[in-house]
Amino acid sequence: FEYASMMAELLELDVVSYPTYDAGQAVSSSFRMALRLRPGRNEILVPAHMNPEIRSQAAAYCRPFGTLVSDLDGTLLTGDQVLSPRTAAVFLENPAYLGAFEPRAKEIMDLAHQAGAIGIVMPEVSSLGVVTPPSGYGADITPGHSHAVRQRLRRLHRHGQ
Protein backbone atom coordinates (compact mmCIF):
# COMPACT_ATOMS: atom_id res chain seq x y z
CA PHE A 1 0.00 0.00 0.00
CA GLU A 2 2.77 2.46 0.92
CA TYR A 3 4.61 1.81 -2.34
CA ALA A 4 1.49 2.35 -4.45
CA SER A 5 0.61 5.52 -2.51
CA MET A 6 4.12 6.94 -2.95
CA MET A 7 4.14 6.14 -6.68
CA ALA A 8 0.68 7.65 -7.18
CA GLU A 9 1.90 10.86 -5.57
CA LEU A 10 5.13 11.00 -7.61
CA LEU A 11 3.33 10.14 -10.86
CA GLU A 12 0.36 12.43 -10.11
CA LEU A 13 -2.06 9.59 -10.84
CA ASP A 14 -5.23 8.53 -9.09
CA VAL A 15 -4.68 4.81 -9.61
CA VAL A 16 -1.49 2.75 -9.47
CA SER A 17 -1.60 -0.98 -10.11
CA TYR A 18 0.60 -3.67 -8.62
CA PRO A 19 4.34 -3.04 -8.88
CA THR A 20 6.31 -5.32 -11.16
CA TYR A 21 9.83 -6.46 -10.40
CA ASP A 22 11.56 -5.30 -13.56
CA ALA A 23 11.10 -2.76 -16.30
CA GLY A 24 10.80 -5.34 -19.05
CA GLN A 25 7.72 -6.89 -17.47
CA ALA A 26 6.18 -3.47 -16.76
CA VAL A 27 6.68 -2.24 -20.33
CA SER A 28 5.54 -5.56 -21.85
CA SER A 29 2.33 -5.47 -19.82
CA SER A 30 1.63 -1.87 -20.84
CA PHE A 31 2.13 -2.76 -24.52
CA ARG A 32 -0.31 -5.67 -24.23
CA MET A 33 -2.82 -3.36 -22.50
CA ALA A 34 -2.55 -0.91 -25.40
CA LEU A 35 -3.02 -3.68 -27.98
CA ARG A 36 -6.20 -4.80 -26.20
CA LEU A 37 -7.49 -1.24 -25.83
CA ARG A 38 -7.05 -0.57 -29.57
CA PRO A 39 -8.57 -3.58 -31.39
CA GLY A 40 -7.53 -3.84 -35.01
CA ARG A 41 -4.24 -2.06 -34.34
CA ASN A 42 -1.15 -4.18 -33.95
CA GLU A 43 1.88 -1.89 -33.87
CA ILE A 44 3.72 -0.18 -31.02
CA LEU A 45 6.00 2.67 -32.13
CA VAL A 46 9.20 2.62 -30.06
CA PRO A 47 12.34 4.80 -30.06
CA ALA A 48 15.36 3.66 -32.06
CA HIS A 49 17.52 3.88 -28.94
CA MET A 50 15.27 1.92 -26.60
CA ASN A 51 16.80 -0.18 -23.82
CA PRO A 52 17.71 -3.37 -25.74
CA GLU A 53 16.82 -5.72 -22.86
CA ILE A 54 13.37 -4.18 -22.46
CA ARG A 55 12.86 -4.16 -26.22
CA SER A 56 13.75 -7.84 -26.53
CA GLN A 57 11.43 -8.85 -23.69
CA ALA A 58 8.56 -6.70 -24.98
CA ALA A 59 8.93 -7.99 -28.55
CA ALA A 60 8.72 -11.59 -27.34
CA TYR A 61 5.78 -10.86 -25.03
CA CYS A 62 3.81 -9.03 -27.73
CA ARG A 63 4.72 -11.27 -30.69
CA PRO A 64 1.43 -13.19 -30.83
CA PHE A 65 -0.59 -9.95 -30.82
CA GLY A 66 1.51 -7.19 -32.35
CA THR A 67 4.91 -5.92 -33.37
CA LEU A 68 7.28 -3.23 -32.22
CA VAL A 69 7.99 -0.70 -34.96
CA SER A 70 11.24 1.16 -34.50
CA ASP A 71 11.69 4.80 -35.17
CA LEU A 72 14.58 4.18 -37.56
CA ASP A 73 15.92 7.71 -37.88
CA GLY A 74 16.11 8.25 -34.12
CA THR A 75 13.79 11.26 -34.09
CA LEU A 76 10.43 10.00 -32.91
CA LEU A 77 7.58 11.44 -34.99
CA THR A 78 9.36 14.22 -36.85
CA GLY A 79 9.56 15.18 -40.49
CA ASP A 80 7.68 12.89 -42.84
CA GLN A 81 7.15 10.21 -40.24
CA VAL A 82 3.44 9.54 -39.80
CA LEU A 83 1.66 7.26 -37.42
CA SER A 84 0.06 4.31 -39.15
CA PRO A 85 -3.64 3.47 -38.73
CA ARG A 86 -2.23 0.23 -37.27
CA THR A 87 -0.40 2.06 -34.45
CA ALA A 88 -1.90 1.09 -31.08
CA ALA A 89 0.60 3.03 -28.97
CA VAL A 90 3.65 5.27 -28.95
CA PHE A 91 6.29 4.53 -26.31
CA LEU A 92 8.91 6.76 -24.70
CA GLU A 93 11.51 6.15 -22.02
CA ASN A 94 12.00 9.48 -20.27
CA PRO A 95 14.85 9.92 -19.67
CA ALA A 96 15.79 7.89 -22.73
CA TYR A 97 18.00 4.81 -22.57
CA LEU A 98 21.05 6.93 -23.41
CA GLY A 99 20.22 9.40 -20.61
CA ALA A 100 18.68 12.43 -22.33
CA PHE A 101 15.23 13.73 -21.49
CA GLU A 102 12.81 13.97 -24.42
CA PRO A 103 12.11 17.70 -24.87
CA ARG A 104 9.20 16.94 -27.24
CA ALA A 105 7.40 14.50 -24.93
CA LYS A 106 4.14 16.50 -24.85
CA GLU A 107 4.18 16.99 -28.62
CA ILE A 108 4.77 13.26 -29.19
CA MET A 109 1.93 12.31 -26.82
CA ASP A 110 -0.36 14.82 -28.57
CA LEU A 111 0.50 13.33 -31.99
CA ALA A 112 -0.20 9.84 -30.67
CA HIS A 113 -3.60 10.93 -29.34
CA GLN A 114 -4.50 12.70 -32.59
CA ALA A 115 -3.86 9.42 -34.41
CA GLY A 116 -6.00 7.47 -31.94
CA ALA A 117 -2.99 5.79 -30.31
CA ILE A 118 -2.21 5.43 -26.63
CA GLY A 119 0.76 7.26 -25.13
CA ILE A 120 3.02 5.14 -22.94
CA VAL A 121 5.92 6.69 -21.01
CA MET A 122 8.29 4.90 -18.66
CA PRO A 123 10.04 7.37 -16.35
CA GLU A 124 13.14 6.82 -14.25
CA VAL A 125 11.75 6.70 -10.71
CA SER A 126 14.55 8.80 -9.23
CA SER A 127 13.75 11.69 -11.60
CA LEU A 128 10.10 12.01 -10.56
CA GLY A 129 10.77 14.38 -7.66
CA VAL A 130 12.30 17.02 -9.93
CA VAL A 131 10.75 16.68 -13.41
CA THR A 132 7.20 16.71 -14.71
CA PRO A 133 5.70 13.22 -14.42
CA PRO A 134 4.41 11.52 -17.58
CA SER A 135 0.80 12.36 -16.71
CA GLY A 136 1.78 16.03 -16.98
CA TYR A 137 2.53 15.69 -20.68
CA GLY A 138 -0.25 13.35 -21.69
CA ALA A 139 0.84 9.76 -21.02
CA ASP A 140 -2.10 7.37 -20.79
CA ILE A 141 -0.11 4.50 -19.32
CA THR A 142 3.00 4.85 -17.16
CA PRO A 143 4.75 1.52 -16.60
CA GLY A 144 7.07 1.27 -13.67
CA HIS A 145 8.88 -1.27 -11.60
CA SER A 146 9.85 -1.59 -7.97
CA HIS A 147 13.35 -2.96 -8.58
CA ALA A 148 15.01 0.46 -8.83
CA VAL A 149 13.31 1.72 -5.67
CA ARG A 150 14.27 -1.40 -3.71
CA GLN A 151 17.90 -1.12 -4.86
CA ARG A 152 18.13 2.49 -3.71
CA LEU A 153 16.51 1.72 -0.36
CA ARG A 154 18.83 -1.26 0.16
CA ARG A 155 21.87 0.89 -0.62
CA LEU A 156 20.75 3.59 1.84
CA HIS A 157 20.09 0.98 4.52
CA ARG A 158 23.52 -0.60 4.01
CA HIS A 159 25.26 2.73 4.51
CA GLY A 160 23.22 3.60 7.58
CA GLN A 161 21.50 6.60 6.10
Side-chain angles (χ1 to χ4, degrees):
F1 174 75
E2 289 83 5
Y3 174 83
S5 297
M6 177 188 68
M7 291 310 297
E9 189 172 326
L10 285 171
L11 292 165
E12 296 181 10
L13 295 172
D14 295 328
V15 177
V16 175
S17 184
Y18 66 94
T20 58
Y21 179 74
D22 70 353
Q25 178 60 47
V27 169
S28 296
S29 294
S30 69
F31 287 3
R32 289 282 295 272
M33 287 171 60
L35 290 166
R36 288 196 51 120
L37 289 168
R38 295 295 184 260
R41 295 176 178 232
N42 63 352
E43 296 177 350
I44 308 285
L45 182 62
V46 299
H49 303 294
M50 180 179 174
N51 180 318
E53 290 178 19
I54 294 173
R55 181 190 181 97
S56 174
Q57 188 174 347
Y61 195 72
C62 292
R63 190 167 295 124
F65 307 98
T67 57
L68 306 186
V69 176
S70 183
D71 161 39
L72 296 176
D73 66 1
T75 54
L76 201 60
L77 299 178
T78 60
D80 294 332
Q81 217 174 7
V82 189
L83 288 169
S84 160
R86 295 179 308 276
T87 305
V90 175
F91 173 70
L92 293 177
E93 292 171 294
N94 209 17
Y97 175 65
L98 299 177
F101 281 92
E102 176 55 70
R104 298 177 45 247
K106 177 157 180 33
E107 178 187 347
I108 291 168
M109 292 296 105
D110 288 346
L111 288 169
H113 294 146
Q114 289 169 15
I118 292 172
I120 302 173
V121 179
M122 185 180 77
E124 168 54 46
V125 174
S126 62
S127 73
L128 291 173
V130 294
V131 299
T132 302
S135 62
Y137 45 87
D140 301 300
I141 300 174
T142 303
H145 57 97
S146 60
H147 185 71
V149 174
R150 284 196 308 270
Q151 280 183 318
R152 285 176 182 78
L153 290 174
R154 196 174 304 127
R155 208 172 301 127
L156 288 172
H157 179 70
R158 230 181 288 138
H159 297 292
Q161 297 176 343

